[in-house]
Amino acid sequence: MRTRRTEMGLLEQLRGLHGRVKRSKYKPWQVYLLAAAIVICASLYFDIVLLTDALRSLEGAASGLQWIVILAIQGVLIGFVAEYLYEQGDGYAKVGSNEFDSKDKTLAARVGIMTGVSAVITLAVPSAVRSVAEYLVIQTVGAVIVLGILLVHESSSDWNPETEWPALAAGVLLATAPTVL
């Protein structure tokens, strides 16, 4: 009977905590992601065997997804290149500083340049990521979160990073902490 009462109290505390998270000015997924990143980093720093073994098991189970997370980071990097190279409006298209007078030239420039960029990134990123990441899937997901948020807001003139600091901090922790700690 006492155990049941303790479980109910814990459940009530978790509901209360979730309510506070929902009422915060941040999105719940950002807060929970930051909490998970802190737990992961703390378990690595303090070498909590149960949690580090769980991380290694998770990494092993997700090893089949390595190609997806590597593609994701490549996609984000290609997105940044495209963001800096291309500018397009209703009546014009530019690659770099050259304005193209036809859709055909714009298409050829985009396909040609992005094929080259994609080839370089495809050759460089997998080996670079594999050489620095101890927990490849976890660290790459962290990097994709940070870089993806930055890419989405790259051309926003009114973006306030404070609105997404929990997700940015979580991504930085996940991307860097396993290698640093």
Side-chain angles (χ1 to χ4, degrees):
M1 184 68 171
R2 187 171 201 148
T3 305
R4 179 79 172 143
R5 199 173 303 163
T6 306
E7 288 175 5
M8 294 302 286
L10 180 62
L11 223 101
E12 204 52 44
Q13 287 178 340
L14 288 175
R15 284 188 186 122
L17 180 62
H18 179 67
R20 288 198 339 239
V21 167
K22 284 179 72 171
R23 287 188 300 277
S24 77
K25 63 182 179 177
Y26 306 106
K27 296 173 184 151
W29 73 267
Q30 294 176 332
V31 175
Y32 291 130
L33 180 65
L34 180 58
I38 290 170
V39 168
I40 288 170
C41 292
S43 70
L44 292 172
Y45 182 76
F46 294 110
D47 196 24
I48 301 169
V49 176
L50 180 67
L51 294 176
T52 54
D53 285 349
L55 282 176
R56 289 192 205 302
S57 295
L58 176 65
E59 188 72 22
S63 65
L65 302 175
Q66 287 180 359
W67 65 276
I68 292 175
V69 294
I70 288 176
L71 283 176
I73 202 159
Q74 288 175 201
V76 171
L77 294 174
I78 289 171
F80 274 112
V81 171
E83 187 72 29
Y84 288 114
L85 286 179
Y86 303 123
E87 183 181 335
Q88 188 168 337
D90 289 339
Y92 71 95
K94 285 178 160 182
V95 175
S97 62
N98 297 329
E99 189 164 335
F100 292 95
D101 57 354
S102 73
K103 291 178 187 174
D104 301 335
K105 290 179 184 175
T106 303
L107 174 65
R110 281 190 176 188
V111 170
I113 291 170
M114 291 315 292
T115 300
V117 167
S118 178
V120 168
I121 288 176
T122 301
L123 293 173
V125 168
S127 58
V129 170
R130 283 189 177 99
S131 69
V132 297
E134 184 178 343
Y135 294 90
L136 182 72
V137 174
I138 293 169
Q139 290 181 264
T140 306
V141 165
V144 167
I145 289 168
V146 172
L147 293 172
I149 290 171
L150 294 176
L151 177 61
V152 166
H153 294 92
E154 196 276 324
S155 59
S156 292
S157 59
D158 64 346
W159 178 51
N160 180 3
E162 290 178 17
T163 61
E164 297 186 43
W165 79 262
L168 290 168
V172 168
L173 285 173
L174 291 174
T176 60
T179 301
V180 173
L181 302 175

